[in-house]
Amino acid sequence: MTVVLKLGGSVVTDKETPETVDDDALDRAVETIADADESSLALVHGAGSFGHHYADKHGVTPTEGSHDAEGVWAIHDSMRRLNDEVVGRLQAAGVPALPVHPLSVGARDAESTLSFALDSTATMLSEGFVPVLHGDVIAQAGAGATIISGDEIVAHLARGLDADRVGLCSTVDGVYDADGDVIPEITDFAEVADALGGSEATDVTGGMAAKVRALLALGAPAHIFGPDALSAFLAGEPAGTRVSG
Ligand code: IP8
C-alpha cells in the first residue's frame, strides 16, 4: 500500500508571519504520522509563509519564470529550510524521513510539460525511508525557473508511484457545499461546479476547484481533510471529502 500525503503550507507554517513554523500544528502532524502504521509513505509539504513570501518578492509564479539565480535560490533556500525543519522533527519522532528537493530532480520543457525523476523517491520508499518533498522552484526551458506547487508534485507522485491513496491535509475539513457542509464524496466535477465557482473557474492560487479537478484525474482515490482527520486518513478510514473519478 503506497500512500502520498501532502501537509499544506497553512498546516505546517504560520501563514501570517514570514518564515514561521506553526510548532504546535507541525508537532501534532508529526506525532500522528509517527503513530500511524504506514509502511510506504511519501510526504509532500507546501510553502506557507516560507516559499510564497520569496516567490512574491522575486515575481516568480508557476507561469512567470526568472533568470535571477539569487532570487531563485532565495525561494529554494526558504523551502529547503522548511524541509529541514519537517525532516528533522519527523526523525526526532522516530520516522525515517529523508529530503528530496524538486529543484534537483525536476524540470519543465518550453510547453510546461514536467519531467521529474522518481528514482530517488521510489528507492527510498522500497528501502523503508519516508521521502519528504516540497513545493519548490524548478528550471523551465525558455523561462529560467518557475514555481512547482506541492499539489503538482502530489499528482506526479501519485501517478508515478502508482499510489493506492492520496491525502491533502489542509486547514479546511473537506470540500464544502453551498450550505457550508463537508461533501462526503465527489465523483464528477459537475456535482460541485456551482459550489466551487463553476467549471470554468480558473485557479492560479491553488484554490479548491483546481485541486478537485486535478484529483479527479488521478488513478487513485484522494481525500481532502483537516488536521483532526489525519490519523483516520492514515488508518485507511473515511476522512473529509473523498474525490475519486
Ligand atoms: O504551497 C508553492 O507550493 P504550495 C511552492 O504547495 C513555492 O502551493 C516555492 C512557493
Side-chain angles (χ1 to χ4, degrees):
M1 175 90 155
T2 297
V3 175
V4 176
L5 169 66
K6 180 184 174 196
L7 299 174
S10 51
V11 174
V12 296
T13 75
D14 172 357
K15 273 191 119 172
E16 304 308 315
T17 321
E19 290 209 45
T20 309
V21 171
D22 184 333
D23 286 316
D24 291 347
L26 178 56
D27 286 344
R28 223 179 118 213
V30 163
E31 260 172 50
T32 306
I33 291 165
D35 288 346
D37 187 20
E38 187 48 71
S39 59
S40 183
L41 175 67
L43 283 174
V44 180
H45 63 80
S49 61
F50 283 71
H52 286 296
H53 173 69
Y54 291 94
D56 284 350
K57 185 168 165 194
H58 295 282
V60 184
T61 73
T63 51
E64 296 295 318
S66 169
H67 287 90
D68 169 21
E70 284 182 15
V72 171
W73 164 249
I75 300 166
H76 172 72
D77 190 42
S78 71
M79 290 309 298
R80 190 192 53 71
R81 277 181 276 123
L82 176 57
N83 185 258
D84 282 356
E85 196 69 49
V86 175
V87 169
R89 290 186 196 211
L90 284 163
Q91 285 201 2
V95 178
L98 288 176
V100 177
H101 300 300
L103 174 62
S104 307
V105 293
R108 285 192 233 268
D109 68 14
E111 275 74 50
S112 280
T113 304
L114 179 67
S115 64
F116 193 101
L118 289 177
D119 318 39
S120 52
T121 302
T123 309
M124 284 181 193
L125 282 174
S126 62
E127 291 301 308
F129 297 110
V130 172
V132 186
L133 299 91
H134 53 88
D136 204 350
V137 264
I138 55 168
Q140 176 160 350
T146 50
I147 298 291
I148 181 166
S149 72
D151 287 359
E152 198 177 345
I153 294 169
V154 166
H156 191 74
L157 291 183
R159 289 200 182 88
L161 301 173
D162 203 12
D164 299 288
R165 279 182 113 216
V166 173
L168 296 186
C169 179
S170 70
T171 44
V172 294
D173 292 331
V175 181
Y176 298 113
D177 65 17
D179 298 326
D181 297 321
V182 171
I183 301 168
E185 179 157 32
I186 299 170
T187 55
D188 186 340
F189 191 80
E191 295 164 12
V192 291
D194 287 347
L196 296 184
S199 57
E200 298 310 315
T202 52
D203 189 292
V204 287
T205 55
M208 201 51 97
K211 272 194 212 304
V212 169
R213 267 196 297 250
L215 294 177
L216 281 168
L218 293 181
H223 296 255
I224 298 174
F225 53 89
D228 289 346
L230 179 55
S231 67
F233 170 78
L234 288 169
E237 294 164 8
T241 300
R242 184 178 196 271
V243 183
S244 173

